[in-house]
Amino acid sequence: MEPKLSTRIQSLATSQTIAMAERAADLKASGVDIISLSLGEPDFDTPDYIIDAAEKAIEGKFFKYPPIVGYKDTREAIARKLKRDNNLDYNIDQIVVSTGSKQSIFNAAMVLVSPGDEVLLPAPFWVSYKEIAKLVGGVPKPIYTTIDNNFKITPEQLEDAITEKTKLMIFNTPSNPSGSVYSRAELEALGEILKKYPNVYVISDEIYEYINFTGNFASFAEISELKDRIVTVNGASKAFAMTGWRVGYMAAHPTIAKACAKIQSQVTSGANTLAQKALIAALDGGKEKIEYMINAFNERRKLVYQLLKDIPGFKVNMPEGAFYFFPDVTTFFGKELNGYKINNATDLSMYLLEVAKVATVTGDAFGAPECLRFSYATSKEDLIEAFKRIKKALKY
């Protein structure tokens, strides 16, 4: 007899970024020459100075259960980073280290959202935000944007979206999937709206903070009047090429941090010991030690912008951060290409996989069904070849 699963899991969507990456990997394993632009994972190796810190942790035999909230020296390193880079003062009892920033987001949503509470999601949003909101009993409420305003919400949109049921907004800058970066002035304008609604909290996902080509980064919690209502989330995966290390962190009001630790104690306990020690080296090294990666991403960004501009039908803007392009592809809707009917972005994504042998991710997964996401976290050679194939598949 087929097992009867919970309504919770039946309502949960599979991550389309991971699903497309797995589909591409399966095709590649079967001998198909696939170029994957689907997964947001740096193609660099973790820097040696970070690996050295982990090796020293092995030599020091850090193999026992760590504290639920993270080692004291790890949280001290996080506090130093937040002060140095963001001018934010947090005590270590306001910081919780987790198994990746995704767990930090989930923990915070679990302790802030009650069943029926509305969770605002500026769209496009990272695929997991919507499903996390649903998992914790919240009601996801997208705030839609377009490429014409660089996928940024306005203060007017934010105020129009807030109701008496609104409890949380999950906010991301630099953004996955759009690459948009909110300026300090833009955050302050949104902050003026939030000041009117003291029951609304914000999870500020800043995982792409260092992969930012504007020269400036503003953290939401720098708005002092809102700091107690903002959960700042960050981690090591993107900037330090540490996706497999699974270590992230959050900083928040002590009551929120304590509640997140309570949740974590019942789910995973403390984060990996070796990854925590490696995180200290990563954060203390700061942005300066990884400038070579950031510069490489910037060069690829410029390259892909020109490659996309050279393909008629893609409406593209220049992203200011992260490592994605998110062009509007509605020009292709309703067309037939090589016998394939393109009704939407999902059809176009599958068409490019089957015909061009290039893996992308449909914008539908991000609350923007008019777009496709291209990751440029891969080599220039692969990027040039991928867009050559795409151009040919689109008959240009």
Side-chain angles (χ1 to χ4, degrees), residues 152-313:
K152 295 180 183 180
I153 63 168
T154 65
E156 294 75 19
Q157 283 182 293
L158 175 57
E159 185 150 37
D160 287 346
I162 294 174
T163 72
E164 60 181 16
K165 293 183 178 180
T166 304
K167 183 62 182 289
L168 179 67
M169 176 170 71
I170 307 181
F171 191 83
N172 182 209
T173 180
S175 167
N176 173 7
S178 70
S180 299
V181 178
Y182 283 78
S183 69
R184 188 174 305 277
E186 288 168 333
L187 290 183
E188 288 174 350
L190 296 176
E192 288 303 311
I193 302 302
L194 291 169
K195 289 175 187 178
K196 302 178 187 179
Y197 301 94
N199 295 321
V200 178
Y201 290 75
V202 178
I203 296 174
S204 183
D205 180 358
E206 301 175 4
I207 189 70
Y208 292 95
E209 173 187 355
Y210 286 167
I211 308 173
N212 172 10
F213 314 112
T214 67
N216 294 289
F217 176 77
S219 182
F220 222 141
E222 290 181 73
I223 303 172
S224 58
E225 301 96 317
L226 296 176
K227 184 183 175 187
D228 285 348
R229 290 196 276 135
I230 293 175
V231 180
T232 300
V233 173
N234 211 322
S237 293
K238 309 300 183 179
F240 298 102
M242 292 175 66
T243 52
W245 295 72
R246 307 313 307 135
V247 62
Y249 59 88
M250 53 82 70
H253 186 281
T255 300
I256 297 174
K258 185 177 180 180
C260 287
K262 184 178 180 181
I263 287 287
Q264 190 160 297
S265 73
Q266 298 292 0
V267 180
T268 60
S269 295
N272 179 278
T273 58
L274 307 182
Q276 287 197 56
K277 296 299 183 179
L279 180 62
I280 297 172
L283 296 181
D284 282 346
K287 188 176 180 180
E288 289 183 4
K289 284 201 170 187
I290 56 166
E291 286 287 355
Y292 67 96
M293 286 192 261
I294 299 168
N295 291 337
F297 287 134
N298 196 17
E299 289 302 311
R300 296 173 191 178
R301 178 179 72 122
K302 296 172 184 176
L303 171 65
V304 172
Y305 182 69
Q306 293 304 321
L307 293 172
L308 277 167
K309 292 279 284 185
D310 194 42
I311 302 175

